[in-house]
Amino acid sequence: MCHSALFCFMVLPLLKGDFKVTIWKPNSFTNPPNFALPSFLHFFILPRFAFISGQIALIFQNPSFVTTFFSNFAANFKMLTALTAQEYMQMRAFARLDGLLIGLSWTASFACYVIGLSTPGLGLLALGLALFTPFFAALRLRRFRDQVLGGAIGFGRAWGYTLLEFFYACIIFAIAQFVYFQWMDHGHFVQALSQMLTIPESAAMLRQSGMMQMVDESLRMLAQMRPIDLVLNIMSSNMMICFVVSLPIAAIMKRNRLQKV
């Protein structure tokens, strides 16, 4: 279940409204509490993952789009947060370090997830590292606020700092994932997911929900994807998740400067 939940966080936020699939209904099983939830989540996600990857990869494979996106990010970000050049350089320097720490944490979480597909016990650690990300980002933002800015930070700057943290983390995590899928995976990731089809509970559940053929096709599509397509898809979904998560973090950690009487 831990592996499935972690995979959910990377993919589910990009669901397309016109992409439909049969899901579990209360009357589909004789004993609903006992159905194979971990396998269900895997195969509930895989069809969407294959579909989304085809859409996102087409966008990010456009060289002009990628170049324009990254070249304009700094300028647009600076304008959005209304910072001076010096303030922006200061915030970027601290956020780069925090992004490195978050990216390394994500890399460790992903490593535990992949190993946990064949070695039970590491899934909980992978999920724990993933769930700890917002709290860690908030702690680093508080450190920046208290030690660098004197204890006060507005919502705009807090949000901008968190976005920068996650932006650098996504870049580092994408590089780590590309290295893994390009030179280290050798089909292990898809093979481990395919082995779940042999679990009796999973096979029975998929047949009852009418998803067996869809899952097979999705696995074949994943096996044929290039590593760069897979990594860009995960990176884009991570950025969208971080964009949303950074809003409540900034809202909670902002603090107005107290007026001296």
Side-chain angles (χ1 to χ4, degrees):
M1 181 174 181
C2 297
H3 309 312
S4 306
L6 181 62
F7 209 55
C8 261
F9 298 149
M10 296 189 294
V11 179
L12 288 182
L14 293 178
L15 293 181
K16 295 286 186 178
D18 56 349
F19 186 65
K20 300 179 180 179
V21 65
T22 304
I23 60 176
W24 177 78
K25 298 179 181 180
N27 58 357
S28 299
F29 301 92
T30 305
N31 299 311
N34 297 323
F35 76 100
L37 179 61
S39 300
F40 169 75
L41 288 178
H42 272 293
F43 298 125
F44 179 72
I45 294 166
L46 281 175
R48 289 163 168 76
F49 183 76
F51 173 81
I52 295 165
S53 62
Q55 307 299 318
I56 302 298
L58 288 177
I59 297 176
F60 278 86
Q61 284 177 2
N62 187 334
S64 61
F65 172 83
V66 177
T67 303
T68 303
F69 176 83
F70 286 104
S71 62
N72 293 337
F73 178 82
N76 295 334
F77 178 83
K78 179 179 174 182
M79 181 179 62
L80 176 66
T81 54
L83 298 174
T84 65
Q86 184 177 1
E87 290 174 335
Y88 173 69
M89 291 178 62
Q90 179 191 57
M91 184 172 66
R92 187 176 62 179
F94 282 90
R96 188 182 295 118
L97 174 60
D98 294 345
L100 172 63
L101 297 176
I102 295 175
L104 293 177
S105 174
W106 287 353
T107 302
S109 175
F110 180 71
C112 293
Y113 175 80
V114 173
I115 298 174
L117 290 174
S118 56
T119 305
L122 292 178
L124 184 61
L125 178 59
L127 181 60
L129 289 172
L131 293 177
F132 184 67
T133 297
F135 302 98
F136 182 77
L139 290 175
R140 301 299 295 184
L141 173 59
R142 186 181 67 176
R143 176 180 177 274
F144 177 73
R145 179 197 68 190
D146 296 341
Q147 298 184 10
V148 180
L149 301 181
I153 189 172
F155 175 80
R157 184 179 291 193
W159 185 41
Y161 186 84
T162 310
L163 283 177
L164 275 179
E165 283 183 310
F166 287 138
F167 176 76
Y168 290 122
C170 288
I171 298 296
I172 295 171
F173 186 44
I175 295 174
Q177 284 191 314
F178 178 76
V179 170
Y180 169 76
F181 285 115
Q182 180 70 32
W183 292 291
M184 301 172 62
D185 180 67
H186 304 299
H188 168 75
F189 186 76
V190 175
Q191 182 180 4
L193 294 177
S194 301
Q195 290 177 351
M196 294 184 181
L197 287 173
T198 61
I199 301 176
E201 294 82 358
S202 301
M205 178 197 63
L206 291 173
R207 284 193 295 268
Q208 293 181 17
S209 60
M211 295 175 59
M212 180 66 75
Q213 182 178 358
M214 183 179 298
V215 169
D216 290 337
E217 294 177 356
S218 300
L219 288 173
R220 284 194 295 269
M221 291 179 64
L222 286 176
Q224 296 172 0
M225 288 179 63
R226 298 184 305 170
I228 187 63
D229 297 334
L230 185 59
V231 170
L232 288 177
N233 176 78
I234 296 175
M235 178 181 173
S236 61
S237 59
N238 284 340
M239 286 185 172
M240 293 191 65
I241 295 172
C242 293
F243 180 85
V244 176
V245 172
S246 61
L247 290 171
I249 294 177
I252 294 173
M253 301 307 296
K254 73 178 183 68
R255 179 186 296 173
N256 297 326
R257 189 177 301 275
L258 296 177
Q259 298 292 335
K260 293 184 179 180
V261 180

